[in-house]
Amino acid sequence: MTCHRWLRPVGWLLVCGCLLLAAPTVGVADATTAVATTAATGEITELYPNPTTDENRGEYAAVKIAEPGNWTLTDGEGVVDLPDGQTGRFVATRHPDKTAAYTNAAPVVASGSFQLAVSGETLRLRRGNSVVDTVNYEDAPESQQWRAGREPRWQPAGFEPRAPTTVSDASVEAFVLPDNPAAPVEAIDNADNRLYLAAYTLTDQRVVDELIAARDRGVDVAVLVEGGPVGGMTEQQATVLDELAAAGVDVRVMTGDAARFRYHHPKYAVADDTAVVLTENWKPAGTGGADSRGWGLTAESEGVANELAGIFEHDTTWKDTPEWETVREEIETVEAEAATGSYPQHHPPVSTTAEELTVLAAPDNAESALVERINNTDDELLVIQPSIGDRDYRLLRAAIRAADRGVEVRILLSGTWYAEEENTALAEQLRERVADDNVPLNVRVAEENNRFGKIHAKGIVADDTAVIGSLNWNDNSAENNREVAVAVTDDVVADYYREVFTGDWQAGGDGGGFSLLPSGELPTGLVVVAVAVISATALLAKRWLVFAER
């Protein structure tokens, strides 16, 4: 059976699979608050009030004691006596045998009425009769820990945020799909020591064969996939995972109620000191070149490869990524047909030495880093997305601000059947708020054409920087999913994706289209929306839209 995730919305939602509609949800960090006042001698450092276990077994409150003394911790109903005459880190818990998976602090058994309430609590750390530290919280999020000294304070248990990692002067190859389906396979086919592949879905048999061949020649091979993709795991993917596991590949599946991310959604691989980052899934429609417009980048860089390997290790070494064999019988599968399209190569790969590469990850740092890059764009911003979450989404607001200050902004969205209506509605809503035709913001909704089947790429070109990765422009992707992207500052790479974008922008389609321009003209091939806005505040609206990818 497909396991549920923390705060996975009920109802319809377009997240990495199909068009779904949902009632808006409040992010857990926004729904909870915690306040602390601390002193140097002792502090409350960590809380875990709401684990996904029977009777909340494993809940704890952690403290750090710098000076020995008569220390106690109380929730107002029960009191825990901390070790007298000792310093260090301690956790007050009713179930010390259950806390080792979450913290290595010394357990102190809490008896009596000491218990962390999910609905809210006030804890006080005392030294004798003096209160040294106080923390209060409301509505503890499920399977999340509160920690002092980090923002946001509440984060999924087992999740350690990373800062962006930047390297200089790296050899890179930029490519696009469906033009170059050989590129992602060639990036991993010569691994000698390590080959790690992170995926939302994996069904491209060419990739599977490379993984098995690497394992056969003694390479350390590991795979991590999403265990509950929208719509269910396909029978083809389950068969592929069976094949990999039988060949000795370490296959991990992110699944379960305590999963740190709503969806494991990145598309990257590490082959020795080579890294490949994609917007596309490892399946025929994506890396197989049979359907989607996607962007990809290969980097010959030990620094980039090591950072992605670090993310992979972080994501595969906790309790929410069990071995495939252990959960195989619990996961239901569904039938699905593979894409079979064929498209010509309009854009061969281009190789160069990039000035700078920065690895970004969500929910760690990607959204804020992209906002900063857009805010610093001076001349041109190109955005390609399957869809955009809503008119008030943070990255869209940043793009509008760029247009307001004179940056040429173009946004290309998917016109495929499950996204066309909402994408067109979003663009029309912007057009209805046109107040100044001199503001250079344009949106196009692209239909299928002879260049690709549908828009699935998730990237930007901001002056001389291109960003390629799995991040969809919606709150769920940025705040709840695991996503990975790479920002490349280099004129050659930026010009390459600019050329691809311009070709896609201008391309017609076979199915006809319509115009939302004031003139009412009916061009074929593209649904075209030219919009101009006078300020970002014109985008504020009550309607809630969520898009991601299929």
Side-chain angles (χ1 to χ4, degrees):
M1 124 183 113
T2 301
C3 297
H4 299 290
R5 295 294 178 79
W6 60 275
L7 279 184
R8 178 170 288 180
V10 176
W12 294 89
L13 179 65
L14 174 65
V15 182
C16 321
C18 52
L19 181 62
L20 304 169
L21 303 176
T25 57
V26 179
V28 290
D30 297 330
T32 57
T33 59
V35 180
T37 57
T38 63
T41 56
E43 64 174 325
I44 300 169
T45 59
E46 191 172 300
L47 304 175
Y48 191 36
N50 193 9
T52 53
T53 56
D54 292 340
E55 300 178 356
N56 283 350
R57 291 179 175 271
E59 67 175 25
Y60 66 83
V63 300
K64 182 178 180 181
I65 305 300
E67 294 182 4
N70 181 22
W71 292 96
T72 58
L73 181 66
T74 178
D75 63 354
E77 297 180 0
V79 177
V80 179
D81 294 319
L82 300 172
D84 192 25
Q86 297 185 34
T87 60
R89 296 173 59 245
F90 307 97
V91 289
T93 174
R94 293 179 298 124
H95 312 101
D97 59 318
K98 300 293 185 180
T99 63
Y102 308 105
T103 177
N104 59 5
V108 178
V109 178
S111 57
S113 56
F114 183 90
Q115 186 171 348
L116 302 182
V118 172
S119 59
E121 199 74 87
T122 297
L123 292 100
R124 292 181 175 84
L125 179 65
R126 299 178 182 272
R127 188 178 187 184
N129 294 323
S130 300
V131 176
V132 176
D133 192 12
T134 300
V135 170
N136 60 73
Y137 64 87
E138 299 176 359
D139 300 324
E142 186 178 87
S143 193
Q144 294 203 37
Q145 295 166 316
W146 178 95
R147 291 187 189 175
R150 74 174 183 185
E151 291 297 336
R153 296 289 180 89
W154 291 105
Q155 293 182 16
F159 171 61
E160 296 293 338
R162 308 176 75 88
T165 294
T166 299
V167 302
S168 301
D169 301 325
S171 297
V172 301
E173 180 183 75
F175 61 92
V176 292
L177 296 159
D179 302 48
N180 305 290
V185 178
E186 292 173 351
I188 66 174
D189 65 359
N190 290 317
D192 293 320
N193 300 308
R194 62 181 179 180
L195 178 52
Y196 309 140
L197 186 140
Y200 177 67
T201 56
L202 169 60
T203 54
D204 189 336
Q205 191 61 47
R206 302 170 309 144
V207 176
V208 173
D209 292 344
E210 290 293 343
L211 293 167
I212 293 175
R215 178 66 181 86
D216 288 345
R217 62 178 181 265
V219 178
D220 176 22
V221 183
V223 171
L224 175 60
V225 302
E226 166 61 39
V230 169
M233 181 179 291
T234 66
E235 293 178 358
Q236 184 180 4
Q237 172 153 313
T239 300
V240 160
L241 299 184
D242 289 341
E243 182 181 358
L244 289 169
V249 174
D250 181 11
V251 180
R252 301 280 170 163
V253 183
M254 184 163 286
T255 188
D257 289 342
R260 290 163 289 176
F261 311 109
R262 187 174 291 172
Y263 293 101
H264 180 262
H265 188 246
K267 306 98 166 54
Y268 68 87
V270 176
D272 297 338
D273 289 338
T274 298
V276 57
V277 177
L278 302 163
T279 67
E280 302 313 291
N281 292 304
W282 301 91
K283 64 180 186 179
T287 54
D291 186 25
S292 301
R293 165 61 81 218
W295 293 6
L297 188 95
T298 298
E300 302 290 339
S301 167
E302 182 180 5
V304 173
N306 284 344
E307 174 59 16
L308 291 177
I311 294 173
F312 190 86
E313 180 180 11
H314 171 276
D315 291 351
T316 54
T317 53
W318 206 61
K319 65 178 184 176
D320 61 348
T321 52
E323 295 179 347
W324 167 245
E325 301 96 311
T326 66
V327 296
R328 175 66 174 88
E329 299 304 318
E330 301 175 12
I331 295 180
E332 294 181 355
T333 57
V334 297
E335 295 183 3
E337 294 183 1
T340 58
S342 179
Y343 299 88
Q345 185 187 67
H346 292 284
H347 303 281
V350 63
S351 297
T352 188
T353 299
E355 299 174 17
E356 185 178 276
L357 276 75
T358 301
V359 178
L360 306 174
D364 315 55
N365 53 62
E367 186 179 49
S368 58
L370 284 175
V371 169
E372 182 178 0
R373 287 187 181 273
I374 293 172
N375 287 345
N376 291 326
T377 302
D378 296 320
D379 299 315
E380 182 181 52
L381 173 65
L382 309 177
V383 179
I384 185 168
Q385 281 284 321
S387 52
I388 294 178
D390 64 49
R391 293 169 296 178
D392 196 35
Y393 179 59
R394 186 181 178 195
L395 289 174
L396 179 58
R397 294 203 315 268
I400 300 304
R401 291 195 302 270
D404 284 341
R405 63 178 186 270
V407 175
E408 173 109 18
V409 178
R410 288 186 286 168
I411 301 173
L412 186 61
L413 304 175
S414 175
T416 194
W417 65 270
Y418 57 83
E420 180 180 349
E421 180 179 355
E422 298 294 352
N423 282 349
T424 302
L426 177 63
E428 186 174 16
Q429 289 155 7
L430 295 178
R431 182 186 66 83
E432 290 172 352
R433 288 163 175 77
V434 169
D436 184 348
D437 290 335
N438 294 320
V439 176
L441 172 68
N442 290 279
V443 180
R444 282 189 176 181
V445 182
E447 290 187 344
E448 179 179 353
N449 56 71
N450 62 4
R451 295 167 64 87
F452 53 80
K454 64 175 180 290
I455 295 288
H456 190 259
K458 294 158 278 286
I460 69 171
V461 177
D463 292 341
D464 63 347
T465 295
V467 181
I468 305 100
S470 62
L471 183 72
N472 289 293
W473 277 29
N474 62 62
D475 289 330
N476 178 66
S477 183
E479 297 175 4
N480 298 329
N481 287 357
R482 165 58 86 205
E483 311 282 5
V484 166
V486 60
V488 189
T489 300
D490 183 85
D491 287 336
V492 172
V493 173
D495 286 345
Y496 175 77
Y497 291 114
R498 182 178 290 111
E499 178 186 354
V500 175
F501 183 97
T502 300
D504 293 346
W505 181 269
Q506 296 173 344
D510 297 327
F514 59 92
S515 172
L516 294 175
L517 292 171
S519 64
E521 297 176 356
L522 301 178
T524 61
L526 285 174
V527 180
V528 183
V529 184
V531 296
V533 295
I534 192 167
S535 68
T537 58
L539 297 177
L540 298 177
K542 294 181 180 179
R543 186 177 181 189
W544 184 82
L545 305 172
V546 171
F547 299 96
E549 65 170 279
R550 185 179 179 86

